[in-house]
Amino acid sequence: MNKLGDDELGLILSLVADPDDRKSASEVCKGWWIMEGLSRSSLLVDDPDHLPRLLARYPNLTTFETHNQMSNADLALVAQSCPKLSTIVLGRNGDAVLGITALITSAAHNLTHLDMDAFEAIGSSSCALRFLSLRGSSVTDDGLRFLTNGSCSKTINQLKLESCCHITDVGVSLLCMMRVLEELDLAFCAQLTDNCINLEVLILQECEVTATSIHAFLGHKCLRSLNLISCLSDDFKGSILESLALGCPSLESIVVQESWREKLLQEMQKSTVSRFLHFSHF
């Protein structure tokens, strides 16, 4: 049997996703150890002290993830060592702005998925982001202004702002400038009224939604799904949801809590309820 070449071995190892299996493969011999490192595409770093050794071993990473605090120097090293990154998950590293800026700039040509708390650096970047998560971050209306004024506001189609308790209607209204935004998660935020023209999925769970907020979506041509779990006050009328369901040509579902079933069945046409409403026990 002929010896496997580096290209063939690299191709085989690229198909092995399980970490334990990859570890076992790397222990076969030195050649396999080297190729396992060269073919590794993702890395989760628990201890930044090991970063130099890990980055030297895995030069072809496309996904980098850490949930621990990293310094500007650490992030700059990642930027220098990983030019092919398309997905970055940094957790709460918003204070290391210089390092994050270097990292985003370095990965600008490939970066499509970003999960971090560093909105100023994101807003000033030129990367063609499609997915951005700021969930649970300290982003404010000013942070959203940085974001909507940046070039990536023209490419982001999925934005997660879950549990961002510092943003208000003022900040969310700026998101209308993000013309390609399709999915917006505003769960566990304050009272919000958004009307992005390409928005398809809107999650408002645990928000304070008013009738005015709902009326803002009448005639929306792209909205497919609206999550209103734990959003509706006791004086909210089913007729408002009826108008929304019949006034949005693309709407497929409105999700509300199960406890509202009886009330909405009394206040809405049964055909509308059965077609559009989905009741959740959450």
Side-chain angles (χ1 to χ4, degrees):
M1 179 180 295
N2 293 330
K3 180 181 178 181
L4 282 175
D6 289 345
D7 291 341
E8 292 87 352
L9 181 55
L11 179 60
I12 293 172
L13 290 173
S14 69
L15 301 176
V16 180
D18 185 89
D20 291 333
D21 290 340
R22 292 190 66 92
K23 184 175 184 299
S24 297
S26 70
E27 293 172 348
V28 171
C29 63
K30 183 177 180 179
W32 282 51
W33 183 85
I34 293 174
M35 289 309 301
E36 192 278 327
L38 293 176
S39 63
R40 174 74 70 92
S41 61
S42 63
L43 180 65
L44 170 62
V45 176
D46 291 324
D47 187 350
D49 290 340
H50 296 158
L51 201 58
R53 176 178 60 82
L54 292 172
L55 295 180
R57 172 157 160 68
Y58 306 120
N60 296 312
L61 296 175
T62 58
T63 298
F64 179 84
E65 180 176 359
T66 183
H67 300 287
N68 295 319
Q69 191 72 28
M70 299 185 71
S71 66
N72 282 312
D74 291 334
L75 294 172
L77 179 60
V78 176
Q80 180 181 0
S81 306
C82 306
K84 300 178 182 179
L85 288 179
S86 60
T87 299
I88 300 173
V89 180
L90 292 182
R92 298 191 174 228
N93 277 278
D95 293 335
V97 175
L98 293 177
I100 290 173
T101 301
L103 182 56
I104 294 176
T105 302
S106 172
H109 295 297
N110 301 307
L111 191 61
T112 60
H113 182 120
L114 187 59
D115 187 340
M116 63 166 62
D117 177 5
F119 21 90
E120 294 185 25
I122 297 166
S124 62
S125 73
S126 60
C127 51
L129 278 179
R130 294 197 300 270
F131 173 94
L132 175 61
S133 173
L134 294 171
R135 59 192 172 197
S137 74
S138 58
V139 63
T140 63
D141 293 342
D142 287 337
L144 292 183
R145 185 174 289 105
F146 273 107
L147 181 63
T148 56
N149 287 332
S151 61
C152 59
S153 66
K154 301 175 183 178
T155 61
I156 294 174
N157 56 34
Q158 187 176 2
L159 178 61
K160 292 189 176 295
L161 296 173
E162 176 186 346
S163 300
C164 294
C165 58
H166 299 293
I167 60 175
T168 70
D169 288 344
V170 174
V172 173
S173 66
L174 299 172
L175 299 180
C176 293
M177 298 167 61
M178 302 177 70
R179 296 300 184 178
V180 300
L181 189 62
E182 296 178 356
E183 180 172 343
L184 177 62
D185 187 346
L186 294 169
F188 306 104
C189 294
Q191 49 186 346
L192 305 168
T193 58
D194 175 72
N195 195 23
C196 296
I197 61 174
N198 288 320
L199 197 64
E200 296 183 5
V201 179
L202 179 59
I203 303 171
L204 293 171
Q205 185 171 346
E206 296 283 351
C207 295
E208 298 177 15
V209 176
T210 63
T212 302
S213 303
I214 297 298
H215 280 304
F217 285 94
L218 291 179
H220 199 288
K221 293 181 171 31
C222 296
L223 187 65
R224 293 187 296 103
S225 176
L226 179 62
N227 186 326
L228 294 174
I229 292 177
S230 298
C231 292
L232 309 180
S233 59
D234 291 339
D235 58 351
F236 198 92
K237 303 298 183 182
S239 58
I240 298 173
L241 294 184
E242 182 106 40
S243 299
L244 177 66
L246 301 178
C248 291
S250 59
L251 192 64
E252 299 173 1
S253 69
I254 302 174
V255 184
V256 297
Q257 62 265 35
E258 176 64 33
S259 60
W260 272 72
R261 181 188 292 272
E262 184 176 348
K263 173 182 172 63
L264 294 180
L265 282 171
Q266 293 175 354
E267 297 180 355
M268 298 174 64
Q269 298 181 40
K270 290 184 178 180
S271 59
T272 305
V273 172
S274 61
R275 179 181 174 186
F276 294 99
L277 293 192
H278 294 263
F279 296 95
S280 171
H281 292 282
F282 63 94

